[in-house]
Amino acid sequence: MSSDGFSEAIHGLLPRIRERRAEIEEARQLPADLVRELTATGIFRMSVPKALGGGEGEFLDALRVIETLSAADGSTGWCAMLALGGGVVAGYMRDEGAREVFADPCLPMALVAEPAGAAQRTEGGVTVSGRWRFASGVTHSTWMVLGAVVMDGGAPRMTPHGPEIVHVFVPVDDVQIHDTWHVSGLCGTGSNDVSCQDLFVPESRIFSLFDPTGYRPEPLYQMPVLSQVAPAISAVALGIARAALDEVSELAQTKVPNMSMTPLSAKPVAQVEVARAEGELGAARSFLYDAVDDVWETVVGGEQPSMRQRALCRIASNQATEVAARVARTASTLAGSSSVYNTSSLQRHARDADVITHHFTQSPHVWEDAGRALLGLEPQAPLF
């Protein structure tokens, strides 16, 4: 299904998602009936390989869908983004395990990439123990990904590239969910902690996000991991900022600021700030999509992107996220004191966009590594 097809399928849901923003935030997770409606659109099969019954769409199509959903509600867009990432993981797995996990390719997944757990090699697989934070979407998923460091004699098993890291798919029913998600933004993502102890995972459900040798040959599964993850996260921020800017522009037509006789739209400062925000957001969005498209076309051509292409993709992602947070904050500030109330979606947009700037793929050190790459030096991060 093309991006237009997916967009058409979810278009009817967008007003209902917007209407339920406050409910989603208060519940701190997506409502079950809304997840069912999203699942029915087929959106979550968009990144699953065709060989498994998925859509295997182009990556830019996924970004547009994530952005569209995030403009309706940041938490919904974030959960959709993680679920689509889970679909990509199907391309990194052994066929046996992929067919087990993606028996129904339409179902959403939860994914924690951080190797916060410990794995012990055992006959037929590994046993995994640990506690993981930020398990977005775990409250409405059947399967989830967990990352772990392989241990040997109480110490990490080392490889030429550092500790051996594996990722595993496990049933959500096999982990304990801890109610920890009390946060400042993206409150409705249900990103609680999860834990398990000596959970056996068969070899068929073990893979590595950091080792491309087992990836499927199709372009979607040949893209560098962070050239997918970072832009997808930025797409959530762009959608949130788009909603904030649209909403303050509409509000400005009728809102008369305190101690004023004219509507906000007549204020020169509002006119300048809205114009600047549109320019910044549009430029950041274009840079992101251009950088991702360049990487995508290279992969489609059967080659791996250069370090410069990867660096520009990371730069564009950081730029988009930072600009989006600034635009959402500006929109909330322009709205005046009324935006501080929980009934205002503008304060929610500002909080949601700010949280995204804290993600490790968008952190300040990315600028340093990207600059190193552009100047012919190796990035310091083990995964770039």
Side-chain angles (χ1 to χ4, degrees), residues 117-178:
Q120 297 284 346
R121 292 285 182 183
T122 187
E123 184 177 356
V126 297
T127 58
V128 178
S129 302
R131 179 162 175 155
W132 294 259
R133 299 180 300 165
F134 307 117
S136 302
V138 70
T139 55
H140 60 250
S141 299
T142 304
W143 290 91
M144 72 176 305
V145 172
L146 298 174
V149 176
V150 177
M151 306 298 288
D152 189 2
R157 178 179 292 179
M158 300 304 293
T159 74
H161 307 290
E164 182 181 359
I165 295 172
V166 296
H167 289 81
V168 298
F169 252 117
V170 302
V172 170
D173 286 345
D174 287 351
V175 302
Q176 181 179 357
I177 300 174
H178 304 272

Side-chain angles (χ1 to χ4, degrees), residues 185-208:
L186 294 178
C187 300
T189 59
S191 304
N192 294 295
D193 289 10
V194 299
S195 66
C196 64
Q197 185 65 37
D198 296 327
L199 177 62
F200 175 73
V201 182
E203 197 69 42
S204 59
R205 287 196 260 116
I206 302 171
F207 62 97
S208 175

Side-chain angles (χ1 to χ4, degrees), residues 25-318:
E25 174 150 306
E26 184 176 357
R28 296 182 294 116
Q29 63 185 52
L30 300 190
D33 63 312
L34 179 58
V35 175
R36 287 194 294 270
E37 289 187 90
L38 283 167
T39 301
T41 68
I43 182 178
F44 299 130
R45 61 179 287 272
M46 189 175 185
S47 55
V48 177
K50 287 182 180 178
L52 300 176
E56 199 180 300
E58 296 189 5
F59 185 60
L60 285 171
D61 292 346
L63 289 190
R64 295 186 184 98
V65 170
I66 291 167
E67 191 179 359
T68 298
L69 280 171
S70 300
D73 175 64
S75 291
T76 301
W78 184 268
C79 288
M81 178 270 296
L82 264 297
L84 287 170
V88 173
V89 170
Y92 305 164
M93 299 177 67
R94 300 185 181 198
D95 189 66
E96 178 188 354
R99 291 189 180 282
E100 177 188 5
V101 174
F102 294 90
D104 183 346
C106 292
L107 295 179
M109 306 284 173
L111 189 154
V112 183
E114 180 185 8
Q120 297 284 346
R121 292 285 182 183
T122 187
E123 184 177 356
V126 297
T127 58
V128 178
S129 302
R131 179 162 175 155
W132 294 259
R133 299 180 300 165
F134 307 117
S136 302
V138 70
T139 55
H140 60 250
S141 299
T142 304
W143 290 91
M144 72 176 305
V145 172
L146 298 174
V149 176
V150 177
M151 306 298 288
D152 189 2
R157 178 179 292 179
M158 300 304 293
T159 74
H161 307 290
E164 182 181 359
I165 295 172
V166 296
H167 289 81
V168 298
F169 252 117
V170 302
V172 170
D173 286 345
D174 287 351
V175 302
Q176 181 179 357
I177 300 174
H178 304 272
D179 185 9
T180 56
W181 195 239
H182 301 271
V183 290
S184 61
L186 294 178
C187 300
T189 59
S191 304
N192 294 295
D193 289 10
V194 299
S195 66
C196 64
Q197 185 65 37
D198 296 327
L199 177 62
F200 175 73
V201 182
E203 197 69 42
S204 59
R205 287 196 260 116
I206 302 171
F207 62 97
S208 175
L209 285 174
F210 308 150
D211 178 6
T213 56
Y215 294 7
R216 293 184 63 89
E218 295 86 357
L220 187 60
Y221 316 107
Q222 287 294 315
M223 285 187 72
V225 170
L226 289 185
S227 295
Q228 293 193 57
V229 175
I233 288 171
S234 299
V236 179
L238 288 174
I240 293 168
R242 180 71 266 162
L245 199 49
D246 288 346
E247 288 172 29
V248 78
S249 297
E250 181 180 354
L251 177 68
Q253 308 306 311
T254 57
K255 179 181 175 67
V256 177
N258 289 338
M259 309 300 291
S260 176
M261 299 295 291
T262 57
L264 181 61
S265 60
K267 301 293 183 184
V269 67
Q271 296 160 2
V272 170
E273 289 297 323
V274 167
R276 286 186 180 278
E278 283 286 1
E280 290 184 10
L281 189 63
R285 184 180 187 275
S286 293
F287 182 21
L288 179 68
Y289 277 82
D290 283 350
V292 172
D293 185 54
D294 187 40
V295 170
W296 175 256
E297 289 300 323
T298 298
V299 173
V300 169
E303 299 180 3
Q304 275 296 300
S306 67
M307 185 58 72
R308 177 178 175 81
Q309 287 176 297
R310 295 186 188 205
L312 289 175
C313 192
R314 299 301 304 278
I315 290 169
S317 298
N318 263 39

Side-chain angles (χ1 to χ4, degrees), residues 314-366:
R314 299 301 304 278
I315 290 169
S317 298
N318 263 39
Q319 180 81 354
T321 297
E322 291 180 8
V323 167
R326 187 161 60 247
V327 166
R329 186 168 57 250
T330 295
S332 180
T333 301
L334 278 177
S337 57
S338 61
S339 69
V340 305
Y341 287 92
N342 288 339
T343 53
S344 170
S345 58
L346 287 169
Q347 53 80 29
R348 185 179 304 114
H349 295 324
R351 290 187 287 105
D352 287 351
D354 176 72
V355 165
I356 297 173
T357 67
H358 294 255
H359 196 273
F360 83 94
T361 64
Q362 317 292 318
S363 63
H365 74 78
V366 173

